[in-house]
Amino acid sequence: MKILILGGGAAGGTAAQFARKSDRKAEITIIDSEPYGQYSRCGLPYALRGMVDDEGLIEFSPEWFGKNRIEALYGWKAVSVDFNERKAIIERDGEKREMEYDRLIIATGARPWAPPIKGIDVEGIFYLRTLDDLKRAKEYAKGIEKALIVGAGLIGLESAESLKEMGKEVTVVEFLPAPLLAMFDQDMAGLVADILERNGIKALYGHEVLLIEGDPVSSVIARDRNTGEERRMEAEMVIIATGNVPYTEIFEGIEKGPKGHIKVNERAETSVPGVYAAGDCTEFTDAITGQRVPMGMGTMAVRLGMAAGVNAAGGELEVQPYLGTRTTDLFGVKMAAVGPTEHTVKSAGLEYVSAKYTGDTVPEYMKGEKFTVKVIASKPDGKVMGAQIVGKCAPWRISMFAEAISTGDTVHHLSMLETPYSPVIAPTLDPTSIACTMASMKLRRRR
Amino acid sequence: MKILILGGGAAGGTAAQFARKSDRKAEITIIDSEPYGQYSRCGLPYALRGMVDDEGLIEFSPEWFGKNRIEALYGWKAVSVDFNERKAIIERDGEKREMEYDRLIIATGARPWAPPIKGIDVEGIFYLRTLDDLKRAKEYAKGIEKALIVGAGLIGLESAESLKEMGKEVTVVEFLPAPLLAMFDQDMAGLVADILERNGIKALYGHEVLLIEGDPVSSVIARDRNTGEERRMEAEMVIIATGNVPYTEIFEGIEKGPKGHIKVNERAETSVPGVYAAGDCTEFTDAITGQRVPMGMGTMAVRLGMAAGVNAAGGELEVQPYLGTRTTDLFGVKMAAVGPTEHTVKSAGLEYVSAKYTGDTVPEYMKGEKFTVKVIASKPDGKVMGAQIVGKCAPWRISMFAEAISTGDTVHHLSMLETPYSPVIAPTLDPTSIACTMASMKLRRRR
């Protein structure tokens, strides 16, 4: 059995590992355009400020793959695949090779999307997608004082945090009216905006970057999308964090979504027999809306990679529908979400109620911190659709909501869950329980 | 509608509040032998070292109840109840009163169990059950250097931690072979023993206290239950934390368990029509074993109190079967568990598998901390029965397991849950997921 894996990131590397675990004899080959082995892209913003060494991000080295009898061809890139003949053509420095396979796993990932900004190709403009991107950005950052980030998504804000911690003046420009709108509704995103402001990040929301001036870059001009007012900001370095496009152009005759993501099912199978896909180049089914959505998170890259590897090797592993569990920590404040936002649920035409509650992390008498939780529940059945939390211990309270969505639990039932309690840990009635009770009461009133 | 509530602790106080919410017109009366209103007993070990003021533990004052039109008779104690006539006799300083009711809620709680130790009634021996107990112990602790705790349960260890933080020499003597054995199996309890040792707590496990010497106490003699060897330890203060007995002797003609706990169902109903019970004086059904177990945790006191209050007032609220979610923090290490231990599951004659895994709180490259998770799953169906965690963020990882048990989820399914991931939060494959996978594989192998 020959298993060929195109791409050696989190999805492809994980697929190789799980294929190896499932079939000790299979010939497994990874094609990777980069030379580093499997490393963490999500760690790049943290390596920027040196929380981890650049090379420290490498989780599985080329040697590791060698030891596990996984052949890895570094510096090579797939240029075409003949799905009928089960052959791929790969290329390095003009040299071409033909690779036969029995099973193919596509894990080619994505590349940064560059918005149509005039002057975007000058010196001082960076993306944080690869280890090489990081090395260049890190070196360049040494000589500058004013940085500007385009895009207030997770990577953008984590990079902004790092640059701020490195002592830079940091401005973030976001097209949408608030930060992290893929993760939070605008009310919750407002809490994130407050955190950024308190920590000295200048942010312009609802602004479109029109022009990058100078080469190397010296300033950026952005326009307020409401008022039309234009504003020039000094910037010696710009990081573009406006999302990615899947690297799937070379694949023809395979079902793709509207933005080019390869469609996969719960077994990581594509529309072509014997061909699997995983990671940022794929789209998969959302647990709540039932719609296909692009997979852009490491969590799903690993899980789809596991399924692709196991199933390609003849095993049996299914991935659960996409929940969109996501989390980060910005300036010491944790935040997390699971499921679609209220905005997305409404756009999908689904009936729902939502409830929001701000409460204490520990019993009031222990003087802990406040945190805010928002829960979204399906109407009329009360099934948990999503939750958003800003504040201490957000991620792990979100894991409870993730499990609730995954099992089809309702806010009625979840509101009575026996949550962990101790004066030094959490209140007897956790704010998450109270938010569920509030949603439950809204549903009962509307019956 | 007259609702009479015997006991104003977490269970009785909560019952009163929820009865008031459910029926704005009901006449609600609480009888409480203590004068403080509703306060947190679980907070007593923390008040001992001044993390919170004594009076700060009061969560709902007598004035608060007054404002909510809940009559509270402080200093009174129930002496008998006639369930047929629906009348209770209460007493204060020899004065007796007859109280009629339509609905009765028994929330009389429990009192400390004093082991049969010679000399246990001398000066310097304390319990930490009431606010008055606390005040006396706190005052006495000022003048001593060597403290000894009998019992290594939650209250015992939290008190030991406090006394240590206050600069005392602290010895803990536990009858069983390890600490916290109601919460953890012996392997996990070993991790707790390590934490105590690292933090300078002297502990003797598998030791029985035979004799308390001196008045005021000057030393304690304990015997090794294995070797029979006796040992004298100097102690100027002893805290007895060996559990409680329910305060239910006065209730006749109501179904009770073997240790006197009043049996309740999911609506907090007792065997007597119109009579509800909640809190430490009750026993309720365990979700996994199906056996009735005494309720001794604040979490359940509040939830049964809610159900008792709502249902007594004519509403409708059900409590979920008992999970035994419990957690604490000892010397900065968090720990939590849910469900019966492996030991309990085995004793109940249930078929199970267990798996244990020690992994990283964050991706390895971010250099976080290790934590250990143990999961117990039903055989052959794989349903989650219990989980135990020692280490950072234990409580909230346990809430996910609590939700899994509560919804009947399996380790097969839970192992693939999309858990929160970020370099600064958790690995892509959380150690909890890996432990579930290990249990899942054991089950599949044995099919």
Side-chain angles (χ1 to χ4, degrees), chain A residues 40 42 56 300 303 320 323-325 327 365 393 395-397 403-404 406 409 413-414 417-423 428, chain B residues 40 42 56 299-300 303 320 323-325 327 365 393 395-397 403-404 406 409 413 417-423 428:
Chain A
S40 168
C42 307
M300 285 309 292
R303 280 157 182 74
Q320 297 171 20
L323 301 180
T325 312
T327 182
Y365 59 83
C393 269
W396 300 105
R397 278 165 160 111
E403 174 64 355
S406 173
D409 199 11
H413 189 258
L414 184 57
L417 183 69
E418 205 185 312
T419 54
Y421 156 65
S422 150
T428 46
Chain B
S40 169
C42 306
T299 323
M300 286 307 293
R303 281 158 181 74
Q320 297 171 20
L323 301 179
T325 311
T327 183
Y365 60 81
C393 269
W396 300 104
R397 278 165 160 110
E403 174 64 356
S406 173
D409 199 11
H413 189 258
L417 183 70
E418 205 184 312
T419 54
Y421 155 65
S422 152
T428 45

Side-chain angles (χ1 to χ4, degrees), chain A residues 217-236:
Chain A
V217 55
S218 57
S219 58
V220 169
I221 294 180
R223 177 170 57 197
D224 187 316
R225 294 177 62 212
N226 276 321
T227 64
E229 196 185 339
E230 293 186 11
R231 199 160 153 178
R232 170 179 281 117
M233 289 153 290
E234 287 180 32
E236 305 156 74

Side-chain angles (χ1 to χ4, degrees), chain A residues 131-416:
Chain A
L131 208 42
D132 289 336
D133 288 345
L134 167 74
K135 288 175 181 181
R136 284 189 294 263
K138 201 170 164 180
E139 184 57 34
Y140 199 85
K142 286 179 188 166
I144 66 111
E145 278 175 17
K146 291 177 182 172
L148 185 141
I149 317 279
V150 185
L154 282 171
I155 293 291
L157 294 187
E158 289 164 357
S159 301
E161 181 196 43
S162 269
L163 288 162
K164 186 73 196 170
E165 297 286 335
M166 292 158 77
K168 315 296 178 195
E169 258 182 53
V170 181
T171 304
V172 175
V173 181
E174 165 62 45
F175 188 79
L176 296 173
L180 295 184
L181 283 185
M183 181 166 161
F184 290 125
D185 283 305
Q186 212 161 324
D187 52 347
M188 297 295 288
L191 301 173
V192 179
D194 292 345
I195 294 162
L196 298 175
E197 198 184 337
R198 275 204 306 276
N199 287 279
I201 301 281
K202 278 181 249 170
L204 299 179
Y205 305 109
H207 276 70
E208 182 176 13
V209 174
L210 297 179
L211 179 64
I212 291 174
E213 296 179 319
D215 187 0
V217 55
S218 57
S219 58
V220 169
I221 294 180
R223 177 170 57 197
D224 187 316
R225 294 177 62 212
N226 276 321
T227 64
E229 196 185 339
E230 293 186 11
R231 199 160 153 178
R232 170 179 281 117
M233 289 153 290
E234 287 180 32
E236 305 156 74
M237 177 179 188
V238 173
I239 294 182
I240 309 285
T242 46
N244 300 306
V245 286
Y247 188 76
T248 58
E249 297 87 338
I250 63 163
F251 306 107
E252 285 172 13
I254 193 165
E255 263 192 68
K256 296 182 202 172
K259 290 181 175 169
H261 300 86
I262 294 172
K263 292 187 179 186
V264 293
N265 67 12
E266 65 285 354
R267 300 186 77 244
E269 292 166 336
T270 68
S271 62
V272 180
V275 180
Y276 301 78
D280 292 358
C281 63
T282 63
E283 60 168 46
F284 183 52
T285 312
D286 185 276
I288 299 300
T289 64
Q291 294 168 351
R292 300 193 146 269
V293 285
M295 296 293 98
M297 308 294 290
T299 323
M300 285 309 292
V302 165
R303 280 157 182 74
L304 281 167
M306 288 164 65
V310 168
N311 294 323
E316 181 61 47
L317 186 65
E318 288 192 3
V319 172
Q320 297 171 20
Y322 179 61
L323 301 180
T325 312
R326 52 193 82 196
T327 182
T328 194
D329 181 316
L330 292 172
F331 298 102
V333 182
K334 291 185 173 55
M335 52 194 76
V338 63
T341 58
E342 183 174 344
H343 178 80
T344 302
V345 166
K346 192 185 279 180
S347 305
L350 301 171
E351 294 285 303
Y352 72 94
V353 297
S354 77
K356 195 165 68 169
Y357 182 74
T358 298
D360 294 287
T361 53
V362 289
E364 223 181 324
Y365 59 83
M366 294 297 284
K367 301 186 174 37
E369 297 165 23
K370 295 283 175 191
F371 76 99
T372 300
V373 51
K374 175 175 182 170
V375 60
I376 302 158
S378 171
K379 196 171 146 188
D381 64 12
K383 283 190 179 176
V384 182
M385 299 174 113
Q388 300 166 36
I389 303 182
V390 175
K392 205 177 166 184
C393 269
W396 300 105
R397 278 165 160 111
I398 280 295
S399 72
M400 177 190 74
F401 281 108
E403 174 64 355
I405 298 176
S406 173
T407 56
D409 199 11
T410 64
V411 284
H412 312 305
H413 189 258
L414 184 57
S415 69
M416 289 299 285

Side-chain angles (χ1 to χ4, degrees), chain B residues 147-393:
Chain B
L148 185 141
I149 316 280
V150 185
L154 282 170
I155 292 291
L157 295 186
E158 289 165 356
S159 302
E161 181 195 42
S162 269
L163 287 162
K164 187 71 194 170
E165 298 285 338
M166 291 159 76
K168 315 296 178 192
E169 258 182 52
V170 182
T171 303
V172 175
V173 181
E174 167 61 44
F175 189 80
L176 295 172
L180 296 183
L181 282 184
M183 181 166 162
F184 291 125
D185 283 306
Q186 212 161 326
D187 51 347
M188 297 294 289
L191 300 173
V192 179
D194 292 346
I195 293 162
L196 298 175
E197 198 183 337
R198 276 205 306 278
N199 286 280
I201 301 283
K202 279 183 248 168
L204 299 177
Y205 305 110
H207 276 69
E208 183 177 13
V209 175
L210 298 179
L211 180 63
I212 291 174
E213 295 178 320
D215 186 0
V217 55
S218 57
S219 59
V220 169
I221 295 180
R223 178 170 58 198
D224 187 317
R225 294 177 62 212
N226 277 321
T227 65
E229 197 184 339
E230 293 186 9
R231 198 161 154 180
R232 169 180 283 116
M233 289 153 291
E234 287 180 34
E236 304 156 77
M237 178 181 187
V238 173
I239 293 180
I240 309 286
T242 47
N244 300 308
V245 286
Y247 188 75
T248 59
E249 298 88 338
I250 63 163
F251 306 107
E252 284 172 14
I254 194 165
E255 263 191 69
K256 297 182 202 173
K259 290 182 174 169
H261 300 86
I262 294 172
K263 293 187 180 184
V264 293
N265 67 11
E266 67 284 354
R267 300 186 77 244
E269 292 165 336
T270 68
S271 62
V272 180
V275 179
Y276 302 78
D280 293 357
C281 64
T282 63
E283 61 169 45
F284 184 51
T285 311
D286 184 275
I288 300 299
T289 65
Q291 294 167 353
R292 299 192 146 266
V293 287
M295 296 293 99
M297 310 294 290
T299 323
M300 286 307 293
V302 166
R303 281 158 181 74
L304 281 167
M306 287 163 67
V310 169
N311 294 323
E316 181 62 49
L317 186 65
E318 287 193 4
V319 172
Q320 297 171 20
Y322 179 62
L323 301 179
T325 311
R326 51 192 84 195
T327 183
T328 195
D329 181 317
L330 292 172
F331 298 104
V333 182
K334 290 184 173 54
M335 52 195 76
V338 62
T341 59
E342 182 174 346
H343 178 81
T344 301
V345 166
K346 193 186 279 180
S347 305
L350 301 171
E351 294 285 302
Y352 71 94
V353 298
S354 76
K356 195 167 67 171
Y357 183 75
T358 298
D360 293 286
T361 51
V362 290
E364 222 180 325
Y365 60 81
M366 293 298 284
K367 299 186 175 40
E369 297 166 23
K370 296 281 176 193
F371 75 98
T372 300
V373 50
K374 176 175 182 170
V375 60
I376 303 159
S378 172
K379 195 174 149 187
D381 64 12
K383 283 190 178 174
V384 182
M385 298 174 111
Q388 300 165 35
I389 304 182
V390 175
K392 206 176 165 184
C393 269

